[in-house]
Amino acid sequence: MTNVNWIVDGDGLQAKHGFRVALLNDFEAVGYGIPALEPEDLVTLNQAPVVPKAPKVVMGPGTGLGAAQLMWDSGIRAYKVWPGEGSHATFAPRGWKQKALSRYVTNMCGHCEIEQVACGSGLELIYEFLQTDEAANRPDLLARSKPKKKKAAEISAAALAGSDPIAVEAVDMMYAIVGAEAGAMALRCLAKGGVYIAGGITPKLLPRVQAGALLEGFLMRKGRAPFHKILTETSLFVITNEQVGQIGAREFAKRLLTTA
């Protein structure tokens, strides 16, 4: 596993215990949970028609940045989820400040992945980066001899309370990056079935998310007009039900019971 030093052997578990085992990527499980969600489990950020059987995209920040695509399988008359590792692709910054962030991470790590600036630890890194600005641009930093570090939970709390302008900017910057990647994924598969933002962080930061940075990143207003139009016609949701992964695991287990 990428962020935990575990090896999980599904075949070994099945052989040992004698029952069928399916081993799912975390966002693969989230993907299988999406068709089973109720309307109250979703908050709409971009209202557009959801086309039946059209591709869907799910992604979101947590410990890392998870992502998957849902494609309709006419043979089983249901969605099949295709997990991926696209969040480990190179970060494509927009604007001078994101470019500076990319250089900051590259100088530190040798390479800047999307995930490194779009998850819990990425939020901490963005907060640290924003404090490297020229002191003259931020008089409130003049008294600081070096960047102050905060944990993601502290940054999130300060952003929600409005008590730390840099925390607010860090959260908004992270969600602009998440939104841009969500929009890119939507274009890659023409996700007219909707784009869904999941993960453990987003429901807790919903008031900041609804402030607009994620949607602005998603809509790609400065891109070529036909593709901006496609995104305006693609629904964008936040999943607020934090049990969606367990729901997806249940739904997939039900498939195991009904297939040979």
Side-chain angles (χ1 to χ4, degrees):
M1 298 178 71
T2 306
N3 294 316
V4 180
N5 188 27
W6 291 358
I7 296 174
V8 184
D9 185 347
D11 292 339
L13 289 170
Q14 183 165 299
K16 180 177 180 179
H17 296 290
F19 52 75
R20 297 185 70 183
V21 173
L23 185 60
L24 304 181
N25 169 283
D26 57 350
F27 265 72
E28 188 178 5
V30 169
Y32 282 113
I34 287 174
L37 292 176
E38 301 295 338
E40 57 267 27
D41 296 326
L42 302 171
V43 171
T44 302
L45 298 183
N46 192 52
Q47 182 74 52
V50 175
V51 178
K53 302 181 183 179
K56 299 177 184 287
V57 162
V58 60
M59 65 176 301
T63 305
L65 179 66
Q69 298 179 32
L70 288 73
M71 301 293 177
W72 183 258
D73 186 327
S74 58
I76 62 172
R77 302 185 60 80
Y79 277 99
K80 181 173 175 57
V81 180
W82 296 94
E85 296 293 351
S87 62
H88 297 291
T90 303
F91 170 47
R94 294 180 182 174
W96 72 267
K97 193 170 288 188
Q98 287 190 16
K99 289 177 182 177
L101 171 64
S102 180
R103 287 194 297 271
Y104 182 80
V105 178
T106 300
N107 290 338
M108 182 184 299
C109 305
H111 177 241
C112 184
E113 298 179 354
I114 302 164
E115 181 174 271
Q116 287 174 300
V117 290
C119 65
S121 61
L123 178 59
E124 296 168 3
L125 196 154
I126 293 171
Y127 184 82
E128 183 180 318
F129 157 74
L130 289 173
Q131 294 175 79
T132 66
D133 197 359
E134 293 289 337
N137 293 336
R138 297 181 184 272
D140 56 313
L141 297 181
L142 287 172
R144 298 183 186 175
S145 58
K146 61 180 181 179
K148 182 179 179 182
K149 293 188 177 183
K150 285 186 177 181
K151 293 294 186 182
E154 297 176 280
I155 299 167
S156 299
L160 289 172
S163 59
D164 183 346
I166 298 176
V168 173
E169 186 175 354
V171 168
D172 287 352
M173 191 172 191
M174 183 186 75
Y175 275 106
I177 292 167
V178 171
E181 179 60 16
M185 286 189 68
L187 288 174
R188 289 184 189 111
C189 67
L190 295 179
K192 292 293 187 175
V195 175
Y196 299 79
I197 306 299
I201 297 176
T202 305
K204 299 178 180 67
L205 283 168
L206 192 58
R208 279 307 324 154
V209 173
Q210 291 176 306
L214 192 154
L215 180 58
E216 282 302 305
F218 175 78
L219 290 175
M220 200 176 72
R221 294 184 192 277
K222 294 183 179 180
R224 294 168 64 184
F227 306 107
H228 165 63
K229 184 173 184 293
I230 288 172
L231 293 171
T232 63
E233 296 169 352
T234 302
S235 54
L236 177 63
F237 303 102
V238 171
I239 298 173
T240 57
N241 187 333
E242 296 186 46
Q243 304 302 311
V244 61
Q246 289 94 319
I247 292 171
R250 179 197 69 198
E251 293 302 304
F252 196 84
K254 285 160 67 176
R255 292 192 187 185
L256 290 182
L257 292 173
T258 56
T259 57

